Amino acid sequence: MKQFARRSPLYAAALASVAGLAAVTLAATAGAAPATASADSTAHKKPTVVLVHGAFADASSWNGVIKRLERDGYPVIAPANPLRGLNSDSAYLAALLKTVKGPVVLVGHSYGGAVISQAADHDPNVKALVYIAAFSPAKGESAAELSGKFPGSTLGSTLNKVPFPLEGGGTGTDLYIEPATFQSQFAADVPRATAALMAATQRPIAASALDDKATEAAWKTIPSWDLITTQDKNIPAAAQRFMAKRAHSHSVEIKASHAVSVSRPGAVTEVVEEASAATVR
């Protein structure tokens, strides 16, 4: 066989062909590496989106939004909001934000809007605030005060009050939405089976948290976007418009319930990505 290899012109031609194929393969591989690096580099420029839920919900309420954002290349964090008090909840979120490298688009739903407004103050990494059917209080304002500023909220009559022991002694009050009224009050445009699951897994909020007054208003210095839900029975659309106008937010109105992140995740994602494109370079 070795003798044939030395003398056969066919074998020589085969060797030349293999060598040529190897050269082409190496060239293609060498050319592909920078393209992959470039793609990775582009992906890394996406800001981290931090999604903060509000009362009567949990982080799973962002699932549809998370799926879409991650598909589009965004890193996403959806922490559990303690819902114990505005100052402590904001401090909890501010500590989490310090662990995130690079720019952040901070998104809050409902009471979560009050939390992001306070937590983002003086944080240079937060490039945009996005309010989804949310509170954006000024200093000295509470969520309860803003909710009652305009007619339309029917939340109060649907609440179930449950006592809980306070760490330092005494008793606090947790608020839940009655399961029988959860869908009509909170999630009227969500399928019945999904709304039933949301009602069963809802996170209560300490009643005192809704009365806590904001000490900071990050929307005064950070660009903001606002998705206003016109069928909202928790925070009246008029109250949402008032807050958005005051903050000079880029606002969009949508015919949706308070649970818009569940019923219309595509619309929520679109607003978040618009905020990212406008503020993160």
Side-chain angles (χ1 to χ4, degrees):
M1 177 64 82
K2 290 182 179 179
Q3 187 177 17
F4 175 79
R6 286 197 301 270
R7 296 180 180 180
S8 171
L10 291 176
Y11 189 76
L15 284 177
S17 176
V18 170
L21 179 60
V24 170
T25 302
L26 286 171
T29 303
T36 302
S38 176
D40 289 344
S41 177
T42 300
H44 291 160
K45 290 181 181 178
K46 297 271 191 182
T48 299
V49 178
V50 179
L51 303 165
V52 182
H53 69 81
F56 320 118
D58 63 15
S60 69
S61 61
W62 295 112
N63 282 356
V65 178
I66 294 169
K67 178 180 178 181
R68 288 163 173 79
L69 287 171
E70 290 185 338
R71 177 197 63 197
D72 293 342
Y74 288 87
V76 183
I77 301 172
N81 187 355
L83 304 177
R84 299 296 83 192
L86 183 55
N87 288 332
S88 60
D89 295 342
S90 300
Y92 176 89
L93 178 59
L96 174 67
L97 292 175
K98 286 182 172 60
T99 70
V100 180
K101 295 181 180 179
V104 169
V105 173
L106 189 54
V107 186
H109 173 246
S110 191
Y111 165 80
V115 175
I116 70 171
S117 293
Q118 193 152 310
D121 190 61
H122 294 106
D123 188 331
N125 285 343
V126 178
K127 304 302 181 184
L129 300 170
V130 183
Y131 296 96
I132 306 298
F135 293 108
S136 52
K139 287 184 181 180
E141 289 180 336
S142 69
E145 176 186 347
L146 286 165
S147 183
K149 192 176 184 69
F150 297 88
S153 176
T154 56
L155 178 63
S157 63
T158 71
L159 293 176
N160 183 25
K161 299 178 181 180
V162 178
F164 70 92
L166 295 170
E167 186 177 348
T171 303
T173 300
D174 261 340
L175 301 177
Y176 294 82
I177 297 177
E178 290 280 2
T181 60
F182 187 92
Q183 183 176 28
S184 60
Q185 175 61 40
F186 192 89
D189 54 354
V190 172
R192 183 179 297 276
T194 302
L197 287 173
M198 293 170 65
T201 59
Q202 64 177 295
R203 294 274 307 282
I205 187 168
S208 57
L210 297 177
D211 291 321
D212 285 344
K213 297 185 182 300
T215 59
E216 305 293 345
W219 48 261
K220 288 192 171 183
T221 57
I222 300 173
S224 61
W225 276 254
D226 211 304
L227 184 63
I228 297 168
T229 42
T230 62
Q231 306 298 303
D232 202 312
K233 293 183 179 180
N234 275 30
I235 309 175
Q240 295 180 50
R241 292 186 188 108
F242 165 77
M243 290 181 280
K245 182 178 180 180
R246 177 176 66 181
H248 303 289
S249 293
H250 306 271
S251 60
V252 177
E253 297 200 0
I254 186 171
K255 187 177 180 180
S257 73
H258 194 60
V260 64
S261 64
V262 178
S263 65
R264 301 291 296 276
V268 173
T269 303
E270 186 175 336
V271 174
V272 173
E273 293 190 353
E274 179 184 326
S276 170
T279 57
V280 181
R281 298 288 185 266

